[in-house]
Amino acid sequence: MFSTITSGTLYGIRSCLIQVEVDVSQGLPCFQIVGLPGSEVREARERVKVALKNVGVELPPVSINVNLSPADIPKSGTMFDLPVAVGIMTALSKIPAKAATDTLLIGELGLSGEVKPVKGVLPIVREAARRGIRRCILPAENLWEGSLVEQVESVGVSDMRQAIETLTGIRQTAECRRAEGNMEQGENGVQMHGVHGDVSQPGPAYNVSEHDGREDFADISGQESLKRAAEVAAAGFHHLLIVGPPGAGKTMLASRIPTILPPLSAEESLEVSSIYSISGLLRSEAGLKKERPFLNPHHTITGQALVGGGRIPTPGIISLAHRGVLFLDELPEFKRETLDILRQPLEDRKVQIARTYGTYIYPADFMLVGAMNPCPCGYYPDMGRCRCTPSEVRRYLRRVSGPVLDRIDICVQAQPVAFQHIAAPAVGESSAQIRERVMRARQIQTERFRDTGPRFNADMKAGDVERYCVLGENEQRFMEQMFVTMQMSARGYHKVLKVARTIADLAGCERIGEEHLAEAVCYRQTEVLQ
């Protein structure tokens, strides 16, 4: 007898629906799974057999063949346990053939028949909704993720018995629960019902933080030039590098940049939440991510952890920072080869990882914020305090390669904080005030790029720069002089125009003026570091 159950898997950041085809026939007893299964999927044979036995379903001595279609997509993880078990019971006529019609099932099985949580539920349920499936049977602890997707009724089960009950009598069960008032309302108006309320998730394994209202730009005393540079960077989503001595407030300012960024849009929120779901970092108590991510990896991080990879590739730190901020403190302390890995993602806004069985693409549209000292001791060019030789300074600055520096839009120097700024109470603008200006500038960009590819000024390609950064005669002459004087590259020239476009947007000006170009040129100090 034959049965087909719909399930899903992850291929990089993309989710795919998988048809679990089960054939049970007379012959030598065997149980095999084909369709490019990984080791975890192949191990499902033992988990399924024991789980079915422990819920009272004895498998007869028959030949069981399971095919995961399409067979050219690699399958990994433990989410196929439940659909394989249901497929076998359907093929054995223990569950009606039409019980799983228009239903997606995912879940790991324990030997006792318990249905355990899995990673990546949110993107798989999103794909199911897009493909017209309207019911998903999930592990009870993943139920809250399924409830975030519109037009899908998510049902949580904690063991195989409840999965069987749900499939064989889902209408009656749903009506009883609705009558008893146990139906819950999802975040987007989606109905869901589960079997228990324990949806706790472990905390994230990385340093991931969201703005909690305790950090504010008003806490920063002085450093007006740094705050202005951060505002421009936030308004156009430009990469930012802060150079200055220890204690000047570089880290303090960088950690507050998320407080002036606009909140994630509904589309961006689902996109970012899907990445965190795949990584197992989406927490039930927080629901969908509303604030932009802020990640601050230690300088000892490996290249693979930064960009992602592994035998079965998983998202790295830069993908977890998608639509948010990646802060690299003490930039020259990172291994040069690790930083050079960022060269392509900084341009392409994505990561491509090639393996023998396919190419995985992860999004990496983040705002890079770097902080560094100007020399090993940190006090150059203050020769009264700096103990470094000129060769030591050059060697230190060259730890960050020129191509990486050339991809940074804004470079600003942090000066030591004066005593009067430390002693006096902070009276600067709040994050809310700066954020309001940033959002106005973002709205201008949204209107500008409504029918084109870029999202922000920093995303503009060469053709977009020619279209949206038109210069007058005086401005053209000024930029020609700066190009020769500063020995800019073509990329550096375009980055100055992009930053000037953002400065003009903050000022509410339709055309780029000479004053906007002059400020943008002042931020182009990366040539000095090379």
Side-chain angles (χ1 to χ4, degrees), residues 50-121:
V50 178
L52 288 175
K53 175 180 71 70
N54 287 329
V55 296
V57 179
E58 292 289 343
L59 293 180
V62 291
S63 173
I64 301 174
N65 293 282
V66 178
N67 178 46
L68 306 178
S69 177
D72 60 342
I73 295 177
K75 288 86 176 178
S76 60
T78 57
M79 61 184 63
F80 293 108
D81 293 8
L82 180 59
V84 167
V86 170
I88 291 173
M89 287 190 291
T90 303
L92 293 173
S93 300
K94 297 183 181 297
I95 292 178
K98 295 183 179 180
T101 301
D102 198 30
T103 301
L104 178 136
L105 294 93
I106 53 177
E108 176 185 344
L109 289 180
L111 298 184
S112 64
E114 175 190 5
V115 179
K116 298 182 178 182
V118 295
K119 297 179 182 178
V121 168

Coordinates of all heavy atoms in Angstrom, one line a residue, residues 50-121:
V50 N 10.7 2.3 17.0 CA 10.5 2.2 18.5 C 9.3 3.1 19.0 O 8.6 2.7 19.8 CB 11.8 2.6 19.2 CG1 11.6 2.5 20.7 CG2 12.9 1.7 18.8
A51 N 9.2 4.3 18.4 CA 8.2 5.3 18.8 C 6.8 4.6 18.5 O 5.9 4.7 19.3 CB 8.3 6.6 18.1
L52 N 6.6 4.0 17.3 CA 5.4 3.4 16.9 C 5.0 2.3 17.9 O 3.9 2.1 18.3 CB 5.4 2.9 15.5 CG 5.3 4.0 14.4 CD1 5.5 3.4 13.0 CD2 4.0 4.8 14.5
K53 N 6.1 1.5 18.2 CA 5.8 0.3 19.1 C 5.4 0.8 20.5 O 4.4 0.3 21.1 CB 7.1 -0.4 19.3 CG 7.0 -1.6 20.3 CD 8.4 -2.3 20.4 CE 9.4 -1.5 21.1 NZ 9.1 -1.3 22.6
N54 N 6.0 1.9 21.0 CA 5.6 2.4 22.3 C 4.3 3.2 22.4 O 3.8 3.5 23.5 CB 6.8 3.3 22.8 CG 8.0 2.5 23.2 OD1 7.8 1.3 23.6 ND2 9.1 3.1 23.1
V55 N 3.7 3.5 21.2 CA 2.3 4.0 21.3 C 1.3 3.0 20.8 O 0.1 3.3 20.5 CB 2.2 5.3 20.4 CG1 3.1 6.4 20.9 CG2 2.5 5.0 18.9
G56 N 1.7 1.7 20.7 CA 0.8 0.6 20.5 C 0.6 0.3 19.0 O -0.3 -0.4 18.7
V57 N 1.5 0.7 18.2 CA 1.4 0.3 16.7 C 2.6 -0.6 16.4 O 3.7 -0.2 16.3 CB 1.5 1.6 15.8 CG1 1.4 1.2 14.4 CG2 0.4 2.6 16.2
E58 N 2.3 -1.9 16.2 CA 3.3 -2.9 15.9 C 3.4 -3.0 14.4 O 2.4 -3.1 13.7 CB 2.8 -4.3 16.5 CG 2.9 -4.3 18.0 CD 4.3 -4.3 18.5 OE1 5.2 -4.6 17.8 OE2 4.5 -4.1 19.7
L59 N 4.6 -2.9 13.9 CA 4.9 -3.0 12.5 C 4.9 -4.5 12.1 O 5.7 -5.3 12.7 CB 6.2 -2.3 12.1 CG 6.2 -0.8 12.3 CD1 7.6 -0.3 11.9 CD2 5.1 -0.1 11.4
P60 N 4.2 -4.9 11.1 CA 4.3 -6.3 10.6 C 5.6 -6.5 9.9 O 6.3 -5.6 9.5 CB 3.1 -6.4 9.7 CG 2.8 -5.0 9.2 CD 3.2 -4.1 10.3
P61 N 6.0 -7.8 9.6 CA 7.2 -8.1 8.9 C 7.0 -7.8 7.4 O 6.7 -8.7 6.6 CB 7.4 -9.5 9.2 CG 6.1 -10.1 9.5 CD 5.3 -9.0 10.1
V62 N 7.2 -6.5 7.0 CA 6.9 -6.1 5.6 C 8.1 -5.3 5.1 O 9.0 -4.9 5.9 CB 5.6 -5.3 5.5 CG1 4.4 -6.2 5.7 CG2 5.6 -4.1 6.4
S63 N 8.1 -5.0 3.8 CA 9.1 -4.2 3.2 C 8.6 -2.7 3.2 O 7.6 -2.5 2.6 CB 9.5 -4.6 1.8 OG 10.3 -3.7 1.2
I64 N 9.3 -1.8 3.9 CA 8.9 -0.4 4.0 C 9.9 0.4 3.2 O 11.1 0.4 3.6 CB 8.8 0.1 5.4 CG1 7.8 -0.8 6.2 CG2 8.4 1.5 5.5 CD1 7.7 -0.5 7.7
N65 N 9.5 1.1 2.2 CA 10.4 2.0 1.4 C 9.8 3.4 1.5 O 8.6 3.7 1.2 CB 10.4 1.5 0.0 CG 11.1 0.2 -0.2 OD1 12.3 0.1 -0.1 ND2 10.3 -0.9 -0.3
V66 N 10.7 4.3 1.9 CA 10.3 5.7 2.0 C 11.2 6.6 1.0 O 12.4 6.4 1.0 CB 10.6 6.3 3.4 CG1 10.2 7.7 3.6 CG2 9.8 5.4 4.4
N67 N 10.5 7.4 0.2 CA 11.2 8.3 -0.7 C 10.9 9.7 -0.3 O 9.7 10.1 -0.2 CB 10.8 8.0 -2.1 CG 11.5 8.9 -3.1 OD1 12.7 9.2 -3.0 ND2 10.7 9.5 -4.0
L68 N 11.9 10.5 -0.2 CA 11.7 12.0 0.1 C 11.9 12.7 -1.3 O 13.0 12.9 -1.8 CB 12.7 12.4 1.1 CG 12.8 11.6 2.4 CD1 13.9 12.1 3.3 CD2 11.4 11.6 3.1
S69 N 10.8 13.2 -1.8 CA 10.7 13.8 -3.1 C 10.5 15.3 -3.0 O 9.7 15.8 -2.1 CB 9.6 13.2 -3.9 OG 9.5 13.9 -5.2
P70 N 11.3 16.2 -3.8 CA 12.2 15.8 -4.8 C 13.5 15.3 -4.3 O 14.0 15.7 -3.3 CB 12.4 17.1 -5.6 CG 12.1 18.2 -4.6 CD 11.0 17.6 -3.7
A71 N 14.0 14.3 -5.0 CA 15.2 13.5 -4.5 C 16.5 14.2 -4.7 O 17.5 13.7 -4.2 CB 15.2 12.1 -5.2
D72 N 16.5 15.3 -5.4 CA 17.8 16.0 -5.7 C 18.1 17.1 -4.7 O 19.2 17.8 -4.7 CB 17.8 16.6 -7.1 CG 16.7 17.6 -7.3 OD1 15.8 17.6 -6.5 OD2 16.8 18.4 -8.3
I73 N 17.3 17.3 -3.7 CA 17.5 18.3 -2.6 C 18.0 17.6 -1.4 O 17.4 16.6 -0.9 CB 16.2 19.0 -2.3 CG1 15.7 19.9 -3.5 CG2 16.4 20.0 -1.1 CD1 14.5 20.6 -3.3
P74 N 19.2 17.9 -0.8 CA 19.7 17.3 0.4 C 18.7 17.5 1.6 O 18.2 18.6 1.7 CB 21.0 18.0 0.6 CG 21.4 18.7 -0.7 CD 20.1 19.0 -1.3
K75 N 18.5 16.5 2.3 CA 17.6 16.5 3.5 C 18.4 16.3 4.7 O 19.2 15.3 4.8 CB 16.5 15.5 3.4 CG 15.4 15.8 2.4 CD 15.7 15.3 1.1 CE 14.6 15.5 0.0 NZ 15.0 15.0 -1.3
S76 N 18.3 17.1 5.7 CA 19.0 17.0 7.0 C 18.0 17.3 8.1 O 16.9 17.8 7.9 CB 20.2 17.9 7.0 OG 19.8 19.3 6.9
G77 N 18.5 17.0 9.3 CA 17.6 17.3 10.5 C 16.7 16.1 10.9 O 16.7 15.1 10.2
T78 N 15.9 16.4 11.9 CA 15.0 15.3 12.4 C 13.5 15.6 12.2 O 12.7 14.9 12.8 CB 15.3 15.2 13.9 OG1 15.0 16.5 14.6 CG2 16.7 14.8 14.2
M79 N 13.2 16.6 11.3 CA 11.8 17.0 11.2 C 11.0 16.0 10.4 O 9.8 16.1 10.3 CB 11.7 18.4 10.6 CG 12.4 18.5 9.2 SD 12.3 20.2 8.6 CE 13.4 21.0 9.8
F80 N 11.6 15.0 9.8 CA 10.9 14.0 9.0 C 10.4 12.8 9.8 O 9.7 12.0 9.2 CB 11.8 13.5 7.8 CG 12.1 14.5 6.8 CD1 13.4 15.0 6.7 CD2 11.1 15.0 5.9 CE1 13.7 16.0 5.8 CE2 11.4 16.0 5.0 CZ 12.7 16.5 4.9
D81 N 10.7 12.7 11.1 CA 10.3 11.6 11.9 C 8.8 11.4 11.9 O 8.2 10.4 11.6 CB 10.8 11.7 13.3 CG 12.3 11.7 13.4 OD1 13.0 11.6 12.4 OD2 12.8 11.6 14.6
L82 N 8.1 12.5 12.2 CA 6.6 12.5 12.3 C 5.9 12.2 11.0 O 5.1 11.3 10.9 CB 6.1 13.8 12.9 CG 4.6 13.9 13.1 CD1 4.1 12.8 14.1 CD2 4.2 15.2 13.7
P83 N 6.3 12.9 9.9 CA 5.6 12.5 8.6 C 5.9 11.1 8.2 O 5.0 10.4 7.6 CB 6.2 13.5 7.6 CG 7.4 14.1 8.3 CD 7.1 14.1 9.7
V84 N 7.1 10.6 8.4 CA 7.4 9.2 8.1 C 6.5 8.2 8.8 O 6.0 7.3 8.3 CB 8.9 8.8 8.3 CG1 9.2 7.3 8.2 CG2 9.8 9.6 7.2
A85 N 6.4 8.4 10.2 CA 5.6 7.6 11.0 C 4.1 7.6 10.5 O 3.4 6.6 10.4 CB 5.7 8.0 12.5
V86 N 3.6 8.8 10.3 CA 2.2 9.0 9.8 C 2.0 8.3 8.4 O 1.0 7.7 8.2 CB 1.8 10.5 9.8 CG1 0.5 10.6 9.1 CG2 1.7 11.0 11.2
G87 N 3.0 8.4 7.6 CA 3.0 7.8 6.3 C 2.9 6.3 6.4 O 2.1 5.6 5.6
I88 N 3.7 5.7 7.3 CA 3.6 4.3 7.5 C 2.3 3.8 8.0 O 1.7 2.8 7.5 CB 4.7 3.8 8.4 CG1 6.1 4.0 7.8 CG2 4.6 2.4 8.9 CD1 7.3 3.8 8.7
M89 N 1.7 4.5 9.0 CA 0.4 4.2 9.5 C -0.7 4.3 8.5 O -1.7 3.5 8.4 CB 0.1 5.0 10.7 CG 0.9 4.6 12.0 SD 0.3 5.4 13.5 CE 0.8 7.1 13.2
T90 N -0.6 5.4 7.6 CA -1.5 5.5 6.5 C -1.5 4.4 5.5 O -2.5 3.8 5.1 CB -1.3 6.9 5.8 OG1 -1.4 7.9 6.8 CG2 -2.4 7.1 4.7
A91 N -0.2 4.0 5.2 CA 0.0 2.9 4.2 C -0.5 1.6 4.8 O -1.0 0.7 4.1 CB 1.4 2.8 3.8
L92 N -0.5 1.4 6.2 CA -1.0 0.2 6.8 C -2.5 0.3 7.1 O -3.1 -0.5 7.8 CB -0.2 0.0 8.1 CG 1.3 -0.4 8.0 CD1 1.9 -0.4 9.3 CD2 1.4 -1.7 7.3
S93 N -3.2 1.4 6.7 CA -4.6 1.6 6.8 C -5.0 1.9 8.3 O -6.1 1.6 8.7 CB -5.4 0.5 6.3 OG -5.2 0.3 4.9
K94 N -4.0 2.3 9.1 CA -4.4 2.6 10.5 C -4.8 4.0 10.6 O -5.3 4.4 11.7 CB -3.1 2.3 11.4 CG -2.7 0.9 11.4 CD -1.5 0.6 12.4 CE -1.1 -0.8 12.3 NZ -2.2 -1.7 12.8
I95 N -4.6 4.8 9.6 CA -5.1 6.2 9.5 C -5.8 6.3 8.2 O -5.2 5.8 7.2 CB -3.9 7.2 9.6 CG1 -3.3 7.2 11.1 CG2 -4.4 8.6 9.3 CD1 -2.2 8.2 11.3
P96 N -6.9 6.9 8.1 CA -7.6 7.1 6.8 C -6.7 7.8 5.7 O -5.9 8.7 6.0 CB -8.8 8.0 7.1 CG -9.1 7.7 8.5 CD -7.7 7.5 9.2
A97 N -6.8 7.3 4.5 CA -5.9 7.8 3.4 C -6.0 9.3 3.2 O -5.1 9.9 2.8 CB -6.3 7.1 2.1
K98 N -7.2 9.9 3.4 CA -7.4 11.3 3.2 C -7.2 12.2 4.4 O -7.4 13.4 4.4 CB -8.8 11.6 2.6 CG -9.0 10.9 1.2 CD -10.4 11.3 0.7 CE -10.6 10.7 -0.7 NZ -12.0 11.0 -1.3
A99 N -6.8 11.5 5.5 CA -6.7 12.3 6.8 C -5.6 13.4 6.7 O -5.8 14.4 7.3 CB -6.4 11.3 7.9
A100 N -4.6 13.1 6.0 CA -3.5 14.1 5.9 C -3.5 15.0 4.7 O -2.5 15.6 4.3 CB -2.1 13.4 6.0
T101 N -4.6 15.0 4.0 CA -4.8 15.8 2.8 C -4.7 17.3 3.1 O -5.3 17.7 4.1 CB -6.1 15.5 2.0 OG1 -6.2 14.1 1.7 CG2 -6.2 16.3 0.8
D102 N -3.9 18.0 2.3 CA -3.8 19.5 2.5 C -3.2 19.8 3.9 O -3.6 20.8 4.5 CB -5.1 20.2 2.3 CG -5.0 21.7 2.1 OD1 -3.9 22.1 1.6 OD2 -5.9 22.4 2.5
T103 N -2.4 18.9 4.4 CA -1.8 19.1 5.8 C -0.3 18.9 5.7 O 0.2 18.0 5.0 CB -2.4 18.0 6.8 OG1 -3.8 18.2 6.8 CG2 -1.8 18.2 8.2
L104 N 0.4 19.8 6.4 CA 1.9 19.6 6.5 C 2.2 19.1 7.9 O 1.7 19.6 8.9 CB 2.6 21.0 6.2 CG 4.1 21.0 6.3 CD1 4.7 21.8 5.1 CD2 4.5 21.6 7.6
L105 N 3.2 18.2 7.9 CA 3.6 17.6 9.2 C 5.1 17.7 9.3 O 5.8 17.4 8.4 CB 3.2 16.1 9.4 CG 1.7 15.8 9.5 CD1 1.2 15.5 8.1 CD2 1.5 14.7 10.4
I106 N 5.6 18.2 10.5 CA 7.0 18.2 10.8 C 7.2 17.9 12.3 O 6.3 18.3 13.1 CB 7.7 19.5 10.4 CG1 7.0 20.7 11.0 CG2 7.9 19.6 8.9 CD1 7.8 22.0 10.8
G107 N 8.2 17.2 12.7 CA 8.5 17.0 14.1 C 9.5 15.8 14.3 O 9.5 14.9 13.5
E108 N 10.2 15.9 15.3 CA 11.1 14.8 15.7 C 10.4 13.9 16.7 O 9.6 14.4 17.6 CB 12.4 15.4 16.4 CG 13.3 14.4 16.9 CD 14.5 15.0 17.7 OE1 14.8 16.2 17.5 OE2 15.2 14.2 18.4
L109 N 10.7 12.6 16.7 CA 10.1 11.7 17.6 C 11.1 11.2 18.6 O 12.2 10.9 18.3 CB 9.5 10.5 16.8 CG 8.3 10.7 15.9 CD1 7.9 9.4 15.2 CD2 7.1 11.2 16.8
G110 N 10.7 11.1 19.9 CA 11.4 10.5 20.9 C 11.0 9.0 20.9 O 10.0 8.6 20.3
L111 N 11.8 8.2 21.5 CA 11.5 6.7 21.6 C 10.2 6.4 22.3 O 9.6 5.4 22.0 CB 12.7 6.0 22.2 CG 14.0 6.1 21.5 CD1 15.1 5.2 22.3 CD2 13.9 5.7 20.1
S112 N 9.8 7.3 23.1 CA 8.5 7.1 23.8 C 7.3 7.5 23.0 O 6.2 7.3 23.4 CB 8.5 7.9 25.1 OG 8.5 9.3 24.9
G113 N 7.5 8.1 21.8 CA 6.5 8.6 21.0 C 6.3 10.1 21.2 O 5.4 10.7 20.6
E114 N 7.1 10.7 22.0 CA 7.0 12.2 22.2 C 7.4 12.9 21.0 O 8.3 12.5 20.2 CB 7.9 12.6 23.4 CG 8.0 14.1 23.6 CD 9.1 14.4 24.6 OE1 9.9 13.5 25.0 OE2 9.2 15.6 24.9
V115 N 6.7 14.0 20.6 CA 7.0 14.8 19.5 C 7.8 16.0 20.0 O 7.3 16.8 20.8 CB 5.7 15.3 18.8 CG1 6.1 16.2 17.6 CG2 4.9 14.1 18.3
K116 N 9.1 16.1 19.6 CA 10.0 17.1 20.1 C 10.1 18.3 19.1 O 9.9 18.1 17.9 CB 11.4 16.4 20.3 CG 11.3 15.3 21.3 CD 12.7 14.8 21.5 CE 12.7 13.7 22.6 NZ 14.1 13.1 22.9
P117 N 10.6 19.4 19.6 CA 10.7 20.6 18.7 C 11.8 20.5 17.7 O 12.8 19.8 17.9 CB 10.9 21.8 19.7 CG 11.5 21.1 20.9 CD 10.9 19.8 21.0
V118 N 11.7 21.2 16.6 CA 12.7 21.3 15.6 C 13.0 22.7 15.2 O 12.3 23.6 15.6 CB 12.3 20.5 14.3 CG1 12.1 19.0 14.7 CG2 11.0 21.0 13.8
K119 N 14.1 22.9 14.4 CA 14.5 24.2 14.0 C 13.8 24.5 12.6 O 13.4 23.6 11.9 CB 16.0 24.3 13.8 CG 16.8 24.2 15.1 CD 18.3 24.3 14.7 CE 19.1 24.1 16.0 NZ 20.6 24.1 15.6
G120 N 13.7 25.8 12.3 CA 13.2 26.2 11.0 C 11.7 26.1 10.7 O 11.3 26.1 9.6
V121 N 10.9 26.1 11.8 CA 9.5 25.9 11.6 C 8.9 27.1 10.8 O 8.0 27.0 9.9 CB 8.7 25.7 12.9 CG1 7.2 25.8 12.8 CG2 9.1 24.3 13.5

